[in-house]
C-alpha cells in the first residue's frame, strides 16, 4: 500500500454565502464520500481544509502578494492523504468527490517515502 | 455465616483497591505486592474475627485500623523493610522518623486512587496487562474472575500480572500525576483503558452476566472518579461516561431467557434503564464544552440516538453522519460495519450493498451478517450463503444461535 495525496480544486468556495440548507447538503456529500473511504480503512489522516480567499503568496525577490489566487481558475481548497494499492485504486477512491460535481477536479499524487 | 461472606466479598471489592492505593502511595509502587499481601491478610483476619464476634458497626473503619496495625508490624519485623523501604522512605520524606501512620481519609483515598490509575494506565505496560492490572488493583477482582473475563486460565493471568508489576519496577513508575505537558496524552491513555474495560464487560467473551455487569460498573466507577479532579474532569471524560451510561442502560434488554444476544431491533424498550439514560444525558451535556471533539463524543451521541426507539430516516441520517466523522478521526472495523448499516437505514439496501462490498472484512462474522441483511430481500439465496459464512466464523454459541434464528426467517422462494 502507498500513500496518495488528493488535492481538491474548485472554481468557487463560497459555501458561507449559500443558504444553510444547501450548506448542510454539501457537508453531507463530503462526509459521506470521505466516510466511505475511511470505512475501508484507507484514510491516512483527517482532511485539511484551506480557508478560502485568505493567505499570501511569496514570490522570488521577496515579493509578497495577498490571496486569493485569482489567476488560477480552480483554486486549491483542501487536501487529504489516503492509502491505496496503486494509482489506479487511488483514482477509483477519488471518484464521487463532491468537488467534481461543481466543476472542480481532484489531483491524485503519490506521496514520497 | 453466608451473610458475613457476602458482606466481606462486597467490602473486598469496595475497599481492596482503596487500601492498596493508600499503602502503595505511602511506600512506593515497587512494594505493591506487599501492599496486596497486607490487605489480603487484613481480610483474612476480618473473616476470622467477624465469624466469632459478628460484623462491626463500621466495617471499613475496622479494616483500616487492622491494615494500619499490620503495616506497622511489617515495618518492625521485616528486615527487607528495614533495609530497603526505610531508607527510601526517609530519603523521600527527609524526616528522621518514617511515616508509618496510614492516612485513610476520604481525600487521601481518592488522591491515591487517582495516582494509581495513572500509574497503571502507563503506556510502558502492554495494553492487555494494563487492563488485567486495572481489574486486579483498581477494581479488586480476583484472579479467577479476571481469567473468566479474558476466557483464559489463572496461570496466564498470573504471569501477565507478574510481568506488569515487574514493568512498574523496572520502568520506575511512580504514583504521581504526570507532568502538565504530558497530562493530555496520558489522560487519553487512561480513558482508553477504561473504555476497553467497559467493552470487555459489554461485549464480553464470558457468558457470566454478573461478571459482565461488574466489569461495566467498575469501568463507570473509575470514570466517575476522574470527574472529582479538575485536571481529569475534561469534556472527553464526561463524553466517555455518557457513552457508558447509554450502553449500560440497555444491559437488561440485551439478555433474553434463552441466553442469546438480543439484536437491537428485538429489544424490549421497557427494559431500558431510564435512569441511566437520564444520567447519560446529564454527562453528555457536561461534555459539550471546549473545542475538542473526541471519538467518545461521537460514540456517546450515537449511543444516545440509539436510546430513541422510533426508527425515523432523520435519526439514521444523523447516526450516519456521526459514524462518518468517527471513521475520519478513528477507524475501526466495527465502526465501518455500523456506518454501512446506518447507510442502509438512511439510503436503502442498494447504496449500502455497494459500499459494504468494499469493506472486505471477510474474517469478521458481522461483515457477513451485514451482507446477509442487505441481500435478504433482493437475493435470498445469496443472503443464506452470507449467513452461513457468518455462522462458520462466529465464535460463541450465543452468536451462532442468533445467526441461525435470522437465517431461518429468510423467505427462500
Amino acid at each position: 500500500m502507498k500513500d496518495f495525496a488528493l488535492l481538491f480544486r474548485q472554481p468557487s468556495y463560497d459555501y458561507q454565502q449559500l443558504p444553510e440548507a444547501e450548506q448542510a447538503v454539501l457537508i453531507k456529500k463530503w462526509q459521506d464520500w470521505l466516510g466511505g473511504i475511511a470505512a475501508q480503512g484507507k484514510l491516512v489522516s483527517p482532511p485539511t481544509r484551506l480557508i478560502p480567499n485568505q493567505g499570501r503568496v511569496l514570490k522570488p525577490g521577496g515579493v509578497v502578494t495577498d490571496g486569493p489566487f485569482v489567476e488560477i481558475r480552480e483554486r486549491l481548497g483542501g487536501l487529504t492523504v489516503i492509502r491505496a494499492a496503486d494509482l489506479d485504486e487511488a483514482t477509483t477512491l477519488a471518484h464521487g468527490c463532491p468537488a467534481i460535481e461543481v466543476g472542480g477536479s481532484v489531483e491524485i499524487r503519490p506521496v514520497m517515502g | 455465616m453466608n451473610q458475613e461472606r457476602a458482606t466481606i466479598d462486597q467490602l473486598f471489592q469496595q475497599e481492596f483497591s482503596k487500601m492498596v492505593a493508600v499503602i502503595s502511595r505511602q511506600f512506593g509502587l515497587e512494594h505493591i505486592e506487599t501492599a496486596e499481601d497486607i490487605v489480603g491478610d487484613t481480610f483474612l483476619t476480618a473473616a476470622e474475627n467477624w465469624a466469632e464476634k459478628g460484623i462491626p458497626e463500621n466495617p471499613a473503619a475496622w479494616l483500616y485500623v487492622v491494615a494500619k496495625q499490620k503495616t506497622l508490624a511489617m515495618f518492625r519485623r521485616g528486615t527487607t523493610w528495614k533495609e530497603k523501604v526505610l531508607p527510601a522512605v526517609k530519603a523521600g520524606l527527609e524526616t528522621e522518623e518514617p511515616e508509618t501512620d496510614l492516612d485513610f481519609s476520604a481525600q487521601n483515598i481518592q488522591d491515591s486512587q487517582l495516582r494509581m490509575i495513572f500509574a497503571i494506565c502507563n503506556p510502558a505496560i502492554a495494553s492487555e496487562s494494563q487492563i488485567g492490572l486495572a481489574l486486579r488493583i483498581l477494581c479488586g477482582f480476583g484472579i479467577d474472575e479476571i481469567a473468566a473475563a479474558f476466557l483464559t486460565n489463572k496461570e496466564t493471568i498470573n504471569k501477565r500480572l507478574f510481568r506488569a508489576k515487574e514493568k512498574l519496577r523496572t520502568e520506575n513508575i511512580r504514583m504521581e500525576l504526570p507532568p502538565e505537558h504530558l497530562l493530555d496524552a496520558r489522560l487519553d491513555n487512561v480513558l482508553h483503558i477504561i473504555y476497553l474495560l467497559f467493552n470487555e464487560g459489554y461485549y464480553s467473551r464470558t457468558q457470566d452476566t454478573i461478571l459482565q455487569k461488574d466489569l461495566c460498573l467498575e469501568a463507570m466507577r473509575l470514570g466517575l472518579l476522574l470527574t472529582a479532579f479538575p485536571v481529569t474532569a475534561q469534556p472527553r471524560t464526561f463524553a466517555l461516561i455518557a457513552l457508558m451510561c447509554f450502553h449500560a442502560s440497555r444491559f437488561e434488554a440485551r439478555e433474553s431467557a434463552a441466553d442469546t444476544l438480543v439484536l437491537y431491533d428485538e429489544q424490549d424498550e421497557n427494559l431500558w434503564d431510564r435512569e441511566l439514560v437520564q444520567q447519560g444525558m446529564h454527562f453528555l451535556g457536561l461534555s459539550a464544552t471546549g473545542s475538542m471533539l473526541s471519538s467518545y463524543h461521537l460514540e456517546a451521541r450515537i449511543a444516545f440516538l440509539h436510546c430513541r426507539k422510533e426508527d425515523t430516516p432523520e435519526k439514521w441520517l444523523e447516526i450516519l453522519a456521526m459514524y462518518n466523522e468517527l471513521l475520519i478521526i478513528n477507524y475501526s472495523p466495527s465502526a465501518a460495519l455500523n456506518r454501512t448499516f446506518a447507510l442502509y437505514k438512511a439510503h436503502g439496501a442498494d447504496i449500502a450493498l455497494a459500499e459494504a462490498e468494499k469493506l472486505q472484512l471477510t474474517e469478521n462474522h458481522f461483515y457477513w451478517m451485514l451482507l446477509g441483511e442487505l441481500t435478504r430481500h433482493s437475493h435470498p439465496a445469496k443472503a443464506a450463503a452470507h449467513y452461513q459464512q457468518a455462522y462458520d466464523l462466529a465464535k460463541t454459541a450465543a452468536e451462532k444461535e442468533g445467526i441461525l434464528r435470522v437465517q431461518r426467517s429468510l423467505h427462500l422462494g
Side-chain angles (χ1 to χ4, degrees):
Chain A
M1 297 297 254
K2 297 184 194 75
D3 288 357
F4 295 86
L6 302 185
L7 309 173
F8 313 123
R9 296 181 191 283
Q10 277 179 240
S12 158
Y13 289 95
D14 294 337
Y15 285 13
Q16 275 86 356
Q17 257 99 75
L18 290 176
E20 234 171 76
E22 280 179 50
Q23 278 187 42
V25 170
L26 267 171
I27 289 169
K28 177 165 164 45
K29 275 185 185 166
W30 277 95
Q31 274 188 345
D32 282 350
W33 174 65
L34 283 164
I37 296 173
Q40 300 173 58
K42 288 173 180 166
L43 194 72
V44 176
S45 58
T48 304
R49 274 174 71 187
L50 306 179
I51 297 172
N53 307 328
Q54 280 184 36
R56 282 181 180 155
V57 181
L58 178 62
K59 292 178 177 173
V63 178
V64 177
T65 61
D66 280 339
F69 320 105
V70 281
E71 66 272 27
I72 309 171
R73 196 182 62 83
E74 290 180 351
R75 277 177 259 158
L76 186 64
L79 62 133
T80 194
V81 179
I82 60 164
R83 190 156 292 164
D86 50 31
L87 190 57
D88 286 342
E89 197 204 348
T91 312
T92 306
L93 289 168
H95 275 272
C97 175
I100 300 166
E101 275 180 51
V102 293
S105 65
V106 182
E107 196 171 310
I108 303 130
R109 303 283 299 270
V111 174
M112 272 197 206
Chain B
M1 187 69 199
N2 274 342
Q3 198 221 329
E4 269 148 28
R5 190 68 253 163
T7 309
I8 289 180
D9 283 350
Q10 203 191 353
L11 273 169
F12 190 87
Q13 184 108 40
Q14 280 169 16
E15 301 298 331
F16 176 87
S17 71
K18 296 182 188 170
M19 292 160 80
V20 170
V22 168
I23 298 172
S24 300
R25 183 180 181 188
Q26 184 95 340
F27 299 111
L29 211 47
E30 62 272 31
H31 298 291
I32 192 168
E33 267 160 356
T34 313
E36 283 181 77
D37 288 343
I38 290 173
V39 178
D41 203 32
T42 301
F43 273 93
L44 278 181
T45 307
E48 284 167 16
N49 193 288
W50 297 355
E52 216 175 288
K53 298 178 187 163
I55 298 167
E57 209 165 294
N58 187 342
W62 193 99
L63 289 167
Y64 297 160
V65 170
V66 173
K68 279 184 197 179
Q69 286 166 354
K70 286 188 189 295
T71 310
L72 201 63
M74 182 83 82
F75 245 102
R76 288 180 179 146
R77 176 178 69 222
T79 50
T80 332
W81 281 68
K82 274 188 185 136
E83 285 161 14
K84 290 187 180 163
V85 181
L86 289 191
V89 170
K90 276 182 186 170
L93 295 172
E94 291 174 4
T95 54
E96 285 301 308
E97 277 300 301
E99 193 75 40
T100 48
D101 193 27
L102 293 168
D103 175 6
F104 281 113
S105 66
Q107 187 59 45
N108 191 51
I109 286 174
Q110 220 175 31
D111 282 356
S112 303
Q113 282 189 302
L114 180 73
R115 284 154 197 261
M116 188 62 102
I117 292 180
F118 273 97
I120 286 176
C121 301
N122 188 305
I125 306 168
S127 146
E128 214 173 29
S129 301
Q130 290 180 45
I131 300 176
L133 208 52
L135 286 172
R136 177 67 193 148
I137 303 295
L138 296 174
C139 311
F141 278 75
I143 306 299
D144 284 341
E145 293 169 301
I146 302 173
F150 283 110
L151 274 197
T152 181
N153 54 40
K154 284 168 73 170
E155 206 187 13
T156 309
I157 295 301
N158 271 324
K159 271 190 204 155
R160 206 179 281 172
L161 293 181
F162 177 77
R163 274 199 301 270
K165 285 176 198 165
E166 208 170 42
K167 212 59 181 182
L168 289 177
R169 270 190 295 273
T170 56
E171 297 285 327
N172 203 18
I173 293 169
R174 317 237 52 97
M175 273 187 71
E176 305 164 337
L177 291 183
E180 212 181 316
H181 69 284
L182 291 178
L183 196 70
D184 245 11
R186 291 288 307 283
L187 178 60
D188 276 344
N189 196 64
V190 167
L191 295 177
H192 185 62
I193 293 298
I194 293 175
Y195 177 73
L196 292 179
L197 205 60
F198 185 87
N199 284 349
E200 199 63 55
Y202 200 71
Y203 305 103
S204 189
R205 287 168 273 183
T206 164
Q207 296 292 313
D208 182 344
T209 52
I210 293 169
L211 180 57
Q212 288 175 357
K213 269 184 215 166
D214 276 353
L215 284 163
C216 290
L217 286 174
E218 280 298 313
M220 292 167 81
R221 186 183 65 79
L222 292 177
L224 286 171
L225 187 65
L226 295 177
T227 65
F229 303 88
V231 286
T232 48
Q234 298 290 326
R236 60 195 192 280
T237 307
F238 291 121
L240 174 60
I241 298 170
L243 166 64
M244 294 193 284
C245 288
F246 291 135
H247 275 319
S249 75
R250 296 199 296 272
F251 216 110
E252 304 288 339
R254 286 192 327 162
E255 297 160 20
S256 74
D259 240 6
T260 55
L261 273 180
V262 179
L263 296 172
Y264 173 72
D265 277 341
E266 300 167 15
Q267 283 184 11
D268 177 358
E269 61 186 297
N270 293 319
L271 289 175
W272 292 357
D273 188 328
R274 295 285 151 202
E275 204 176 311
L276 273 172
V277 176
Q278 288 298 324
Q279 286 283 330
M281 284 165 71
H282 168 70
F283 286 111
L284 194 62
L286 291 175
S287 78
T289 57
S291 59
M292 190 182 149
L293 188 69
S294 67
S295 57
Y296 305 125
H297 282 95
L298 294 164
E299 286 193 58
R301 179 85 193 148
I302 292 167
F304 167 67
L305 289 163
H306 277 307
C307 287
R308 292 201 310 225
K309 182 84 179 180
E310 71 270 30
D311 216 18
T312 60
E314 288 75 25
K315 178 175 111 174
W316 286 104
L317 277 171
E318 203 180 337
I319 292 176
L320 172 62
M322 294 293 126
Y323 272 121
N324 281 335
E325 278 199 65
L326 181 61
L327 282 160
I328 289 167
I329 60 172
N330 193 6
Y331 168 83
S332 72
S334 69
L337 290 166
N338 284 322
R339 181 247 179 202
T340 314
F341 186 78
L343 193 69
Y344 157 57
K345 288 291 204 178
H347 296 300
D350 290 347
I351 290 174
L353 185 60
E355 291 277 290
E357 283 168 345
K358 292 181 197 163
L359 301 182
Q360 287 301 315
L361 295 166
T362 51
E363 303 296 312
N364 187 323
H365 66 279
F366 291 113
Y367 174 68
W368 295 107
M369 285 178 77
L370 176 66
L371 286 185
E373 174 75 27
L374 295 176
T375 49
R376 61 181 298 134
H377 299 296
S378 53
H379 299 94
K382 267 192 193 167
H386 293 324
Y387 285 127
Q388 189 57 46
Q389 292 264 31
Y391 183 87
D392 293 342
L393 285 167
K395 286 182 187 71
T396 68
E399 283 170 339
K400 282 188 188 286
E401 174 61 33
I403 295 165
L404 270 185
R405 219 154 16 100
V406 183
Q407 202 176 14
R408 272 191 230 111
S409 68
L410 272 177
H411 299 289
L412 291 169

